[in-house]
Amino acid sequence: MKKQDKFRERLKDKTELFLKVNHIGTLCCLVLAILCYFLLKITAIIPWILLGFVVLNFINLYAFRTHKNLTLTYNIASLMGLAGSVAIVLYSGGINSPFIFILAVLVFAGYVTTRVYGRIYLIVSLVFLVLIYSQSVEGFSRVSNVVPENSRELFALFSIMLSVYLLGGVFGRNLLSAHHKLYRSKGEIEQRMQEKEMLLKEVHHRVKNNLQTVSSLLRMQSREIDDKDIQNLLQGSQNRVVCMAMVHEMLYMRDDLAKIEYRSYVEDLGAYLIKSIKGPKSKIRLNIDIPDIELGIDTAIPLGLLINEAVTNALKYGFKDLDEGEITIALERENKTEYILRIGDNGVGFPEEITPASTKSLGLKLIHNLSRQLKGDVIRDFSKKGTNYIIHFQEAAQAPFHTLA
């Protein structure tokens, strides 16, 4: 609907400008025809061409009220103006005629309408200029100057005044008005965009604060429980909440509210998980190989949750009885929308027969379900020690949304 409204508004502005120029141009031609006949004593051809243009263009404008076809009306008026202008130029001095500047007005009018029409009338006008020049070459001339000798200076004055008035007084004034209107609209749009950006930043900030509050509540709840298994479940939920909160925090801190720089996000997430699960003195190394890739929130959050589950499983089970180890996270772009994530550890691993369908592990199920949400697939890499995954996925904007099941 907004595009249709903009198109209608633009068409309305073009129609108003075209009709205004045509009415003023027609009136000017009528005045010039009267001046040529009665004041300048030009009785042959020129005043009748001007008068014929006035009558035909009046009919053309009246017909526009019925068919409402702006392109047809414009082209008829332009072709009549071009033909009449060339004829007047030929019969008022050829290449030296002051009326020749009207051709520039017609070209300018074409560019105001569309770039295509501007180019067409520019080329046609240049061709006519060459033909008009050929008429000034001795032996090739087939027409004569019908403007009386004593009236040529006044005719030149009126012709140039007509060209200047149409270019400056009509086109220039209206285009300047349209420019100021566009500038004001641009300023208002920029102001609204800034307000929306500030509001969106505030939304990200509040979402982050709310998620941190949920994380704190989960942490406090886990302290009140003695059952170690339940504590682990609450800690896992807490880490998932923090994983999502970190995305909103990074979006809040950036000027680009649509995407986050993913390497720094994964570094912060990995460091947090190691410290949270293994403690601040852990010797688990985090090897991250991610280029300068920016991902939108619809991809960043499910991918972050997937990385969270893989790293958490590695820390809890892969290095359960180990003090040292290495977790590798590598992300590369295959093409514009497709990526490959390689994530794994050099821990103890788990048997090949364990699958999401045969296990009660929520983490393993989440890895596969989050991959499907990203329209991806998970391949277990058994060529390396430990647990390693190769995950092909697409940006969420290119993939249909799936709920976790």
Side-chain angles (χ1 to χ4, degrees), residues 253-317:
M253 298 297 292
R254 283 173 57 88
D255 292 331
D256 185 358
L257 299 179
K259 296 184 176 183
I260 65 171
E261 200 283 310
Y262 215 64
R263 178 183 175 86
S264 59
Y265 168 72
V266 174
E267 288 175 345
D268 292 345
L269 176 62
Y272 164 78
L273 291 173
I274 292 173
K275 182 179 178 181
S276 173
I277 297 172
K278 286 294 188 179
K281 297 182 180 180
S282 172
K283 295 181 181 179
I284 303 297
R285 297 184 305 277
L286 192 62
N287 181 20
I288 296 176
D289 182 16
I290 299 177
D292 294 333
I293 291 176
E294 294 184 344
L295 296 176
I297 186 172
D298 291 335
T299 303
I301 287 181
L303 185 62
L305 287 169
L306 189 154
I307 293 172
N308 172 80
E309 298 305 322
V311 173
T312 299
N313 287 347
L315 293 171
K316 283 186 175 182
Y317 309 111

Side-chain angles (χ1 to χ4, degrees), residues 88-219:
I88 292 174
V89 168
L90 288 172
Y91 286 97
S92 60
I95 197 68
N96 296 314
S97 171
F99 204 82
I100 204 167
F101 293 109
I102 292 295
L103 294 177
V105 177
L106 292 171
V107 173
F108 188 76
Y111 274 110
V112 169
T113 306
T114 63
R115 186 181 299 178
V116 175
Y117 286 139
R119 288 176 179 173
I120 291 173
Y121 285 107
L122 174 62
I123 294 170
V124 172
S125 297
L126 290 174
V127 171
F128 275 121
L129 285 173
V130 174
L131 295 175
I132 290 169
Y133 172 76
S134 68
Q135 293 299 305
S136 64
V137 178
E138 188 174 354
F140 288 92
S141 179
R142 296 291 182 270
V143 294
S144 59
N145 193 341
V146 298
V147 180
E149 187 73 29
N150 59 350
S151 299
R152 289 178 182 177
E153 290 187 358
L154 273 178
F155 178 77
L157 175 63
F158 293 151
S159 298
I160 295 172
M161 286 178 65
L162 175 62
S163 302
V164 171
Y165 178 69
L166 289 176
L167 278 175
V170 181
F171 280 114
R173 183 178 61 189
N174 284 279
L175 289 176
L176 183 62
S177 175
H179 174 74
H180 286 315
K181 182 180 178 181
L182 180 63
Y183 186 79
R184 286 195 303 270
S185 299
K186 183 181 177 182
E188 292 172 358
I189 291 172
E190 288 179 349
Q191 183 179 358
R192 287 197 294 269
M193 286 180 64
Q194 289 176 356
E195 291 173 354
K196 287 183 178 180
E197 285 180 359
M198 290 297 294
L199 180 60
L200 188 55
K201 276 196 170 190
E202 182 64 24
V203 169
H204 283 305
H205 186 59
R206 293 193 178 190
V207 169
K208 184 261 298 184
N209 288 343
N210 290 337
L211 289 171
Q212 285 183 338
T213 300
V214 173
S215 174
S216 299
L217 290 172
L218 290 171
R219 184 173 62 252

